[in-house]
Amino acid sequence: MRPQMRAGEIRTAAASDAASLSAGEGRREAGRGSPRSGLMALSVALAFVAVGGQSIRLALRGQDEPTTSMSQAVPTSFARPDIVDRNGRLLASDVEMPSLYADPALVLDRDEVAEKLARVLPELDEAEVRRLLADRSRRFVWLRRGLSPKLAQAVHDLGLPGLAFRRELKRAYPAGALAGHLIGAVNVDNRGLAGIERHLDESGSVEPVHGATLSGRAPLRTSLDLGAQHALDEELKAAMRRYDAKGAAGVVMDAVTGEVVAAQSLPGADPARVADLMDDSRQDKLTGSVFELGSIVKMATVAMAIDGGQTTADSVRDVRQPLQAGRFTIRDLHPAGRPLTVAEIFIRSSNVGAGMLALEAGADRQRAFFERLGLITPIRTESGPVAAPLLPAHWNTIETITLSYGHGMALAPMQFAAAAAGLVNGGTRVTPTLLRKLPGEAARGERMVSPETSRVMRDLMRRNVTDAAGTGRRAAAAGYRVGGKTGTAELPVKGGYRQNAVISSFLGAFPMEAPRYVALVMLFEPKPTREAQGHVTAGNNAAPTAARLIERIAPILGVMPAGAPEPVDDGTTVVDPGDGPAATFEAPVDAGVAGFDGVGDAKY
Amino acid sequence: MRMLIVSSAFLALASAFLLYGLNYETRRIEANLQMLERAADKAKTDIAILKAERAHLARPERIEPLARTYGLVPAGRNQLAATGDEDSAGGR
């Protein structure tokens, strides 16, 4: 303000200077000449200053955000992207929900607050509320996170001072427990605890936000197919009822890319209930536990024998005599009574034959081949590490024999399913993944076995289903060329194995001439019900379950039915003794000493 | 001189009015913007909830029994055919 005024004075002085060349006194005369105009000039100048000042103020103010935030500076929640299935159907999403908090300093009567709140929110612990409200130095305590709008209104209507709401993000799982184990869960702050939810946190897709700002990120596209997942869930539940089983598990995996299109472990887990994850009985049987898998491991044994050029599918082994190893005797439950070809050893699931093939290869080659199949090294999927394989402490003759038919080593079913996919897909390694792979991204894995070995394995697996003596006859799905291998493993208990308490499984692929999917079905402790023809063996429960499953999901997955009509087992044929409990009834009881007490304990 | 003073006084007054006018206009627009932002947030929240609700209603567990009451069944092998394979698609 001052500089302008002085400038004005000087200008007037300069004007009068030009008019008269009088002395300094004259100049002062001229300056004072019209006090009114000076005053006017001053006030106009002041007005301009005021206008200028105001415009500067507005200009400066306009630069910061027009909206101001009333929330505190620390992030209050975490925004997560949606999780969708391979076709974009929603599996998990954030929704905004009010959460109730209290400012103890503003609460007038904490007993009244606790009582009234408990009436509206019955599951609220009254004593806990009193305790929280007792400390008046705390200005913020959560009382209840994630209320429904209706309950929030009811609490609001109580009109209690000191209570308020903050809007928060809560995770919603529209599909419920359908894919609970895979999706995982989040904690109360919306951070991932397990499964794909934790993968989201670890991959940096979760952003801290103030209040309830929804994530702007693109949804995470999983490899799951909700339709196939539902079909698997239903078929497993039906099988549990039909065979009175304690649990069931199944996985359907792309035979080349390893994409898991459906995976379920029953009893299931609801992602909305964190407690389910901690519950041992609901543990994910596919990736969270290891089991002795039984005869399905013969796939690996026969592949080893053929891939090494050690034998061909048609060469003959004399399996009539039980196998002696030290003080152990391994025998078949239903001996063939004649020498069998390697193909027949696989198809009839002969323990003696598998043991002989393993002994011919020797422990070192067996171990190296299992390593090549990816059965020795622990693996991981996006939902975390898969339970590590439990290997025998010593890999001697007896272990070589028992490992050949799937005992003495405990594996996560998901890990073996991936190895089996590699055996049938032309011989390249498969890494299970829960994320969708675009056609271009899915490169084939490294070579595991030769294409020829893979072709022979496909042929043997197909024959296991079509052959009259095949253990997997009941896996013949109408219209689809299914092939596979059955396995009935006795459950180990301390000091041995439990008679008639088994895990029965069927590991198959379809369509068998060029497999697109590998399917594993497992039933835990099935009973010899009428539907299972009074047996607990996989050929009578897991195999027919696999057939139903494949008939149902193949159309969903767009697998074309086979052109020619298939021989279909109508279920009325008499149970062939050769169909028997495949591997394991006798041998493991003897071999149970192989250092495996309690491994693969029934976890359900 | 007088003219200069009077006109500049007028100018100052006019720009002051203009400025205050602008100021109020700005505030109004700001308020409007805030309202729109809130509406957009609300809409986003509603969309998220509706999306979740729709997915919940469309969950296979619920749809399957409903479909079955209308006599619908899962697609079977007889309903699939490759292009050029229409004749044999009838199955057995």
Side-chain angles (χ1 to χ4, degrees):
Chain A
M1 210 183 288
R2 278 270 151 208
Q4 269 100 333
M5 190 176 70
R6 216 175 288 136
E9 271 178 340
I10 290 163
R11 229 180 286 128
T12 21
S16 48
D17 203 23
S20 67
L21 292 162
S22 48
E25 210 173 304
R27 247 180 264 159
R28 241 173 278 132
E29 271 301 317
R32 249 187 265 133
S34 66
R36 263 178 63 207
S37 63
L39 203 65
M40 284 302 289
L42 183 66
S43 57
V44 167
L46 274 174
F48 269 114
V49 169
V51 168
Q54 173 73 347
S55 50
I56 288 168
R57 196 175 69 80
L58 284 179
L60 287 181
R61 206 182 62 139
Q63 276 174 2
D64 49 52
E65 277 288 302
T67 48
T68 49
S69 171
M70 295 293 284
S71 62
Q72 57 191 37
V74 292
T76 54
S77 192
F78 292 88
R80 316 178 64 79
D82 290 350
I83 299 174
V84 298
D85 84 340
R86 63 188 303 116
N87 302 314
R89 282 187 285 185
L90 197 64
L91 296 174
S93 180
D94 274 348
V95 293
E96 203 183 304
M97 276 187 180
S99 284
L100 177 67
Y101 70 93
D103 180 349
L106 297 180
V107 170
L108 297 176
D109 179 352
R110 63 190 167 98
D111 290 325
E112 184 199 4
V113 169
E115 271 163 38
K116 285 190 170 171
L117 271 184
R119 224 173 297 152
V120 179
L121 309 169
E123 62 274 46
L124 204 68
D125 181 4
E126 217 177 304
E128 175 70 8
V129 173
R130 278 204 190 84
R131 195 187 60 76
L132 284 170
L133 296 180
D135 184 2
R136 285 183 172 262
S137 62
R138 290 176 73 183
R139 298 299 307 269
F140 184 96
V141 286
W142 284 120
L143 293 183
R144 181 73 196 281
R145 310 277 291 265
L147 283 171
S148 74
K150 209 170 143 191
L151 278 178
Q153 187 61 44
V155 173
H156 185 77
D157 289 345
L158 293 175
L160 295 167
L163 297 187
F165 295 98
R166 180 171 284 168
R167 301 195 74 78
E168 281 195 301
L169 293 177
K170 285 275 148 207
R171 206 65 166 154
Y173 299 101
L178 195 49
H181 284 120
L182 301 175
I183 294 173
V186 295
N187 67 8
V188 75
D189 288 319
N190 228 18
R191 307 244 34 192
L193 291 176
I196 297 171
E197 292 285 22
R198 197 169 73 182
H199 170 72
L200 278 178
D201 281 62
E202 283 168 359
S203 63
S205 308
V206 177
E207 305 148 284
V209 289
H210 308 291
T213 315
L214 292 163
S215 174
R217 287 173 189 260
L220 181 84
R221 202 171 274 259
T222 60
S223 59
L224 291 180
D225 183 303
L226 199 59
Q229 178 73 21
H230 171 67
L232 174 65
D233 181 66
E234 289 246 305
E235 291 302 334
L236 289 179
K237 280 178 181 160
M240 275 175 72
R241 283 192 300 272
R242 203 176 303 125
Y243 308 116
D244 198 14
K246 285 196 180 166
V251 57
V252 180
M253 190 189 287
D254 189 300
V256 176
T257 63
E259 292 168 270
V260 174
V261 294
Q264 180 66 302
S265 166
L266 296 173
D270 188 341
R273 295 175 15 160
V274 183
D276 279 6
L277 284 179
M278 315 300 169
D279 187 349
D280 268 355
S281 68
R282 293 179 182 276
Q283 195 170 23
D284 187 359
K285 297 177 174 66
L286 293 168
T287 62
S289 331
V290 291
F291 303 98
E292 288 179 287
L293 295 174
S295 294
I296 57 175
V297 177
K298 283 177 190 154
M299 283 175 68
T301 302
V302 172
M304 169 182 68
I306 290 171
D307 197 52
Q310 164 193 330
T311 186
T312 62
D314 299 322
S315 64
V316 177
R317 297 290 181 282
D318 189 352
V319 297
R320 282 175 295 189
Q321 295 304 312
L323 211 54
Q324 292 286 342
R327 56 196 179 91
F328 303 109
T329 306
I330 284 93
R331 57 171 69 92
D332 288 327
L333 187 57
H334 303 287
R338 62 177 171 89
L340 296 178
T341 62
V342 172
E344 282 171 324
I345 287 172
F346 181 85
I347 291 163
R348 304 174 76 110
S349 201
S350 159
N351 289 348
V352 174
M356 286 171 81
L357 292 177
L359 284 178
E360 287 167 23
D364 291 343
R365 254 203 73 209
Q366 188 183 39
R367 193 188 165 99
F369 191 75
F370 282 5
E371 176 78 64
R372 192 133 55 94
L373 293 190
L375 299 178
I376 306 276
T377 319
I379 60 166
R380 57 178 297 135
T381 67
E382 288 78 10
S383 74
V386 171
L390 267 175
L391 304 167
H394 312 283
W395 204 305
N396 298 327
T397 309
I398 182 65
E399 284 80 14
T400 304
I401 296 171
T402 60
L403 287 172
S404 76
Y405 54 79
H407 280 266
M409 171 172 79
L411 285 170
M414 182 77 88
Q415 188 163 3
F416 192 75
L423 286 179
V424 299
N425 73 4
T428 53
R429 190 186 292 282
V430 168
T431 313
T433 176
L434 300 178
L435 301 184
R436 186 182 171 184
K437 295 270 180 284
L438 296 173
E441 315 179 316
R444 272 195 173 254
E446 60 192 274
R447 180 144 297 281
M448 220 163 67
V449 294
S450 71
E452 175 57 18
T453 304
S454 179
R455 192 195 60 73
V456 173
M457 290 312 295
R458 287 199 296 270
D459 180 50
L460 292 181
M461 285 168 73
R462 178 67 186 142
R463 282 164 68 187
N464 187 36
V465 175
T466 53
D467 197 291
T471 56
R473 285 200 324 276
R474 286 170 213 282
Y480 289 94
R481 289 201 177 102
V482 178
K485 180 79 191 80
T486 52
T488 310
E490 292 192 325
L491 276 167
V493 288
K494 210 161 176 55
Y497 287 83
R498 276 161 67 194
Q499 199 75 41
N500 262 18
V502 300
I503 301 173
S504 66
S505 15
F506 183 82
L507 178 48
F510 63 96
M512 207 58 226
E513 61 278 8
R516 282 183 57 197
Y517 295 99
V518 166
L520 170 63
V521 171
M522 299 178 82
L523 296 171
F524 294 77
E525 296 190 43
K527 306 285 178 300
T529 60
R530 205 168 52 81
E531 287 91 337
Q533 291 85 31
H535 291 271
V536 294
T537 46
N540 292 296
N541 46 42
T545 305
R548 287 167 193 265
L549 173 71
I550 291 168
E551 273 172 39
R552 191 160 164 191
I553 63 171
I556 297 175
L557 298 172
V559 177
M560 293 306 297
E566 291 281 341
V568 181
D569 191 323
D570 55 5
T572 53
T573 43
V574 184
V575 180
D576 185 307
D579 172 54
T584 51
F585 268 166
E586 266 192 342
V589 181
D590 299 334
V593 238
F596 251 95
D597 291 352
V599 167
D601 226 3
K603 288 203 166 172
Y604 40 84
Chain B
M1 186 66 194
R2 177 182 294 258
M3 274 305 288
L4 187 70
I5 288 172
V6 168
S7 59
S8 51
F10 182 75
L11 203 66
L13 217 61
S15 51
F17 274 116
L18 195 71
L19 196 61
Y20 279 98
L22 271 179
N23 193 6
Y24 283 113
E25 179 68 8
T26 312
R27 284 189 204 174
R28 200 183 58 74
I29 290 173
E30 273 177 14
N32 197 18
L33 176 71
Q34 259 184 31
M35 200 188 72
L36 289 175
E37 272 175 357
R38 265 200 296 271
D41 273 354
K42 177 90 171 60
K44 269 188 212 158
T45 310
D46 289 352
I47 288 170
I49 290 176
L50 290 172
K51 217 170 58 180
E53 279 180 0
R54 194 192 64 167
H56 187 65
L57 290 175
R59 69 192 188 279
E61 263 174 281
R62 176 175 171 274
I63 293 296
E64 186 178 347
L66 290 178
R68 286 193 193 274
T69 58
Y70 287 105
L72 300 170
V73 291
R77 67 203 162 96
N78 295 341
Q79 285 155 291
L80 290 175
T83 325
D85 192 30
E86 291 84 356
D87 296 335
S88 61
R92 285 172 288 163

